[in-house]
Structures are given as structure tokens and as C-alpha cells.
Amino acid sequence: MLKGFIISPEAALGEDLQTALGTIGQVAILRRVERYPNEFDLGRLISAHAPQVMFVNAAAPDQALAFAAQVDALAPGIQIVGFDHSCNPRTLLEFMRAGIREFLVPPFEGQEL
């Protein structure tokens, strides 16, 4: 089972994703954080929990991309998955350019996850 975090300033959307991930049984969410952590806090979280995947809400694309860059700098092997209420082409392209190849939108369902 993969260990992961959900980073989402939108608490309800993060909770929805966590619930959906719980139903498939392949990802154990260790923490759900309702803000984009700064580099110091991120380093502590990674050191303490060694996640393999991070689900990052794209509600604030610039902050989400900066966060993803910090994750990559601190722990390059962590898979990053973007998610938001919708997937606009501009945001998706920016995420792909940053190396984030997966993007989820609700409803979060088994096949998609």
C-alpha cells in the first residue's frame, strides 16, 4: 500500500478525495494538510512520514506548483498528483510542464483512482 499526503486548502475537496482513496484500499493517507506547507514544514513531514505520493490541490496553481517544486527538491522520488474541482487546459499544461502527469477531478471514483 502506498503512503501519501493530501495537500488541500479546500478542506471539503481534500476530504472527498481521502474518502474515495479509502474505498480503493491502495493508498493510506497519513496526513491531510489544509495549506501549502513551507519548505521547513514540508521537510519535517517528509522526514517523519516518508510518503510515496502527494495529492496537491490546484486551487492556487502558482502555490501548488511552487510546492511541487519543493517536494521534488527535497525528495525527488515522490509521485505528485494534482486535483481540483475542474481541469482547465492552462492549469493542466502548467502541471504537466512541472512533471505532474496525473490530475484528478470529482467525482473521485475507483477506475479513475
Side-chain angles (χ1 to χ4, degrees):
M1 182 174 291
L2 294 173
K3 298 184 296 182
F5 290 165
I6 294 176
I7 310 299
S8 179
E10 297 180 81
L13 187 60
E15 187 175 334
D16 289 348
L17 178 58
Q18 184 172 0
T19 300
L21 289 168
T23 64
I24 65 167
Q26 295 179 5
V27 180
I29 298 300
L30 304 174
R31 298 282 302 264
R32 194 173 76 230
V33 181
E34 295 180 359
R35 61 178 173 75
Y36 301 105
N38 63 36
E39 188 172 354
F40 176 76
D41 290 339
L42 177 60
R44 290 180 62 203
L45 286 169
I46 290 172
S47 294
H49 300 285
Q52 297 159 304
V53 61
M54 293 225 187
F55 296 88
V56 180
N57 186 323
D62 292 339
Q63 287 180 292
L65 290 170
F67 172 79
Q70 289 177 343
V71 170
D72 193 47
L74 292 170
I78 296 175
Q79 175 71 34
I80 300 173
V81 178
F83 71 98
D84 202 0
H85 293 283
S86 64
C87 181
N88 82 49
R90 182 176 162 259
T91 300
L92 183 59
L93 184 60
E94 289 177 12
F95 271 58
M96 291 183 78
R97 285 183 179 150
I100 302 168
R101 301 286 183 244
E102 303 293 331
F103 200 94
L104 303 170
V105 295
F108 303 118
E109 296 177 344
Q111 185 72 335
E112 180 183 62
L113 296 174

